[in-house]
Amino acid sequence: MDALRRMIVRHREPLRNVLLVGAVGVPLLFAAAALGVQGSVRRFLLFYIAPFFVAFFPWVWVRVGRIEADRTGALAVDAVATVLGAVRFIGLLPVPFSGHMQFYVYAGLTTRSPRFLLLIAVLAAEATWYKLVVWRDPRSWALGIATGAALAAARLLINRTSPVPSTAP
């Protein structure tokens, strides 16, 4: 993990530029894909999938920018949160929680930027509307919130109790 941290620090600016491109480019790709479909699939791509990436890439951008300040264990929790959400998104395993809500709660509780928190609040409200109104799925919604909160608690505890890593080569 320390070698990965050093590599990220060494290549931080180009990596952050790629993340900014991703924050715009990936949602645009989903929007373009939505043009080829109709009805609920179009709305799903435009209003549920694409907006997620508007938050995900900036969240990673923030993490990359302050990677020296985070404990190795906290970064591991970030990785677990990302992998769990990706597993849900890709459909590799039948996880019982909403990956969107898990990410939004986790990111909201572990990021301090007021603008980012506003974005997360709007996207969480939108995901809540889909989960509770459109799909009538309070179970995965609630489990996503609980999973995100538990992961955030673990990250915050680790960052408060573990020694700060060295980024010296």
Side-chain angles (χ1 to χ4, degrees), residues 2-142:
D2 288 333
L4 178 61
R5 183 193 311 266
R6 285 191 301 274
M7 183 194 71
I8 289 170
V9 168
R10 190 170 35 252
H11 302 289
R12 182 185 341 248
E13 290 315 308
L15 178 56
R16 288 181 101 191
N17 290 336
V18 168
L19 292 167
L20 290 176
V21 170
V24 175
V26 172
L28 286 176
L29 287 174
F30 278 102
L35 295 176
V37 295
Q38 298 296 319
S40 63
V41 174
R42 177 179 279 178
R43 285 187 299 278
F44 174 74
L45 291 173
L46 284 175
F47 300 114
Y48 193 72
I49 298 298
F52 173 84
F53 293 102
V54 172
F56 178 74
F57 285 104
W59 175 76
V60 177
W61 189 88
V62 167
R63 290 297 200 260
V64 166
R66 61 177 317 268
I67 197 165
E68 297 95 341
D70 287 326
R71 276 55 172 186
T72 301
L75 296 174
V77 177
D78 284 349
V80 168
T82 301
V83 168
L84 286 174
V87 164
R88 170 68 183 216
F89 178 73
I90 297 169
L92 294 175
L93 296 171
V95 294
F97 58 84
S98 165
H100 279 65
M101 291 309 297
Q102 177 252 304
F103 173 76
Y104 294 148
V105 169
Y106 180 75
L109 292 174
T110 61
T111 306
R112 296 184 188 257
S113 165
R115 290 182 299 192
F116 185 75
L117 292 175
L118 178 61
L119 173 64
I120 288 295
V122 168
L123 294 177
E126 179 186 42
T128 295
W129 182 80
Y130 266 93
K131 285 291 183 181
L132 299 181
V133 176
V134 175
W135 297 321
R136 292 182 168 85
D137 184 12
R139 183 174 182 267
S140 75
W141 175 81

